[in-house]
Amino acid sequence: MKVWLLLGLLLLHEALEDVTGQHLPKNKRPKEPGENRIKPTNKKVKPKIPKIKDRDSANSAPKTQSIMMQVLDKGRFQKPAATLSLLAGQTVELRCKGSRIGWSYPAYLDTFKDSRLSVKQNERYGQLTLVNSTSADTGEFSCWVQLCSGYICRKDEAKRGSTYIFFTEKGELFVPSPSYFDVVYLNPDRQAVVPCRVTVLSAKVTLHREFPAKEIPANGTDIVYDMKRGFVYLQPHSEHQGVVYCRAEAGGRSQISVKYQLLYVAVPSGPPSTTILASSNKVKSGDDISVLCTVLGEPDVEVEFTWIFPGQKDERPVTIQDTWRLIHRGLGHTTRISQSVITVEDFETIDAGYYICTAQNLQGQTTVATTVEFS
């Protein structure tokens, strides 16, 4: 019976192959008509775009990492804010992470070599401590990591920290000044600052002219107020000169600052403008001779003089005298005149020749010369 059943299935299989012309896969049933159709779809597929890292942004200026911490009581630490308000008398301790730390703090503390200030370098951090603080200590405290190669060091601009500290003291709205009157030079090619800084962050500060008496507005165009610097003249000119002072108001109290004399500078910045003149270019034996070297410059720029003269190798005795003074050159323009005079007494043949004067300031140097002959 089983043999006949198997023969029947084989015959049925061959019959189906003859009709379709295809071999039926083993162990699979025939598909119904329409069963294998692919249905169309309207679904939109967005192409995937690979993300590319912006190399330029990755290589742009590195972010600054703040390395400064303020030490509080009971060994607690916190990152100091951009500005701090503390009562005078408090102790301030700042630490900056790094094995070589550089510090900057108000120049007042350096000028007087104040023993209240201590700066130490530990193995892993730098430490600045200020005790018995006063309103005069108000200012910027900053630190930075030093990158050193041998004896040459530079700042690591990416690792630094800073805070501006207001030390509030009763009766002192302004940071004290060492004098009752100060001079501010107005140079046409750079900013000028009237340094009336306050010790109270919330203080309202105004600028005033003494004569004619009036308030000078800080309009943000010609003059701006910077709490860390004072009133800044952005483009000084001769009309700004005169005597001014500042007025501060806070907590129902008011105070007037020291007075500032604003002087307009007539000479632009640069290497010294130098001239040389001899009392006589032909000298007889036994006479005295003087050679004058003169520089006209900015009122607050010092000038150094050096001389080369004929009898120098023979150690000829001479007298050299340097002086300076401020002069007014009309329209309120102020100039510093610096002079150096070399004097030779009892003129001899070895004194004849070139007298060379070199004048130097922070911006460069100028050399001039004149000849003195033996008559």
Side-chain angles (χ1 to χ4, degrees):
M1 185 68 181
K2 292 181 180 180
V3 175
W4 288 106
L5 182 59
L6 289 172
L7 288 172
L9 289 173
L10 287 171
L11 290 172
L12 179 61
H13 184 75
E14 291 175 358
L16 287 172
E17 285 183 350
D18 291 339
V19 173
T20 61
Q22 295 179 351
H23 295 286
L24 289 175
K26 296 179 180 180
N27 302 326
K28 288 192 177 180
R29 64 176 179 80
K31 294 184 178 180
E32 298 293 334
E35 187 178 352
N36 201 30
R37 287 181 185 172
I38 299 174
K39 296 181 180 180
T41 178
N42 294 325
K43 185 177 180 181
K44 295 181 179 179
V45 179
K46 292 183 179 180
K48 291 185 178 180
I49 301 174
K51 292 183 179 181
I52 301 174
K53 291 184 178 180
D54 189 352
R55 291 186 178 181
D56 293 337
S57 62
N59 295 332
S60 59
K63 293 183 179 180
T64 302
Q65 178 185 347
S66 178
I67 60 173
M68 178 179 285
M69 298 294 289
Q70 180 188 2
V71 182
L72 305 178
D73 57 346
K74 298 180 181 179
R76 294 183 298 117
F77 297 85
Q78 73 173 12
K79 284 191 176 182
T83 58
L84 294 176
S85 291
L86 302 176
L87 292 175
Q90 285 186 259
T91 295
V92 176
E93 183 180 345
L94 302 173
R95 295 185 182 182
C96 291
K97 185 179 179 181
S99 58
R100 287 190 177 182
I101 297 296
W103 290 93
S104 176
Y105 40 82
Y108 166 84
L109 293 168
D110 246 351
T111 303
F112 299 98
K113 302 296 180 183
D114 207 313
S115 60
R116 299 176 301 120
L117 177 71
S118 170
V119 176
K120 296 179 180 179
Q121 179 63 58
N122 296 294
E123 184 178 354
R124 295 184 179 180
Y125 62 89
Q127 179 184 29
L128 181 148
T129 305
L130 177 65
V131 300
N132 299 324
S133 58
T134 69
S135 56
D137 302 325
T138 296
E140 187 97 31
F141 292 78
S142 60
C143 66
W144 56 89
V145 169
Q146 295 193 97
L147 301 176
C148 298
S149 176
Y151 294 101
I152 301 175
C153 297
R154 62 181 178 85
K155 289 183 180 181
D156 185 348
E157 296 295 341
K159 294 180 180 179
R160 52 192 174 91
S162 66
T163 183
Y164 190 94
I165 304 179
F166 294 88
F167 291 101
T168 304
E169 190 171 350
K170 186 176 180 180
E172 292 286 355
L173 292 182
F174 286 104
V175 177
S177 174
S179 62
Y180 292 98
F181 195 87
D182 204 354
V183 176
V184 175
Y185 296 107
L186 305 175
N187 194 302
D189 58 3
R190 65 170 180 261
Q191 297 179 356
V193 180
V194 177
C196 44
R197 299 179 296 123
V198 291
T199 62
V200 180
L201 179 60
S202 60
K204 178 185 177 183
V205 190
T206 52
L207 181 64
H208 300 261
R209 181 181 296 277
E210 186 177 50
F211 184 82
K214 66 175 183 177
E215 181 179 339
I216 303 173
N219 53 20
T221 303
D222 295 327
I223 304 172
V224 297
Y225 180 69
D226 183 340
M227 66 177 183
K228 297 181 180 181
R229 300 172 66 194
F231 285 95
V232 182
Y233 286 74
L234 301 177
Q235 296 178 329
H237 50 78
S238 58
E239 294 178 2
H240 288 143
Q241 64 189 339
V243 178
V244 301
Y245 62 90
C246 301
R247 180 185 179 90
E249 296 179 358
R253 296 182 296 118
S254 64
Q255 188 176 4
I256 292 176
S257 72
V258 300
K259 294 180 180 179
Y260 300 91
Q261 174 74 58
L262 307 188
L263 297 177
Y264 189 74
V265 177
V267 180
S269 60
S273 174
T274 312
T275 58
I276 192 169
L277 179 66
S279 57
S280 177
N281 291 104
K282 291 187 177 182
V283 185
K284 295 180 180 179
S285 175
D287 286 352
D288 297 342
I289 178 73
S290 295
V291 182
L292 175 65
C293 192
T294 303
V295 170
L296 295 179
E298 300 173 78
D300 56 342
V301 176
E302 295 184 358
V303 178
E304 292 184 357
F305 294 95
T306 54
W307 285 93
I308 298 176
F309 53 94
Q312 196 166 13
K313 291 183 179 179
D314 299 320
E315 298 183 355
R316 179 74 160 91
V318 298
T319 301
I320 298 175
Q321 184 178 12
D322 298 343
T323 60
W324 70 270
R325 69 183 188 277
L326 296 180
I327 59 173
H328 299 284
R329 306 181 68 191
L331 297 177
H333 291 189
T334 304
T335 301
R336 177 181 178 130
I337 180 170
S338 303
Q339 293 181 317
S340 182
V341 182
I342 182 171
T343 303
V344 180
E345 298 178 350
D346 194 14
F347 195 84
E348 302 176 14
T349 53
I350 62 170
D351 298 320
Y354 284 99
Y355 285 76
I356 303 170
C357 170
T358 299
Q360 182 171 0
N361 63 16
L362 294 176
Q363 272 121 12
Q365 66 179 31
T366 305
T367 300
V368 290
T370 188
T371 56
V372 178
E373 299 177 356
F374 187 80
S375 174

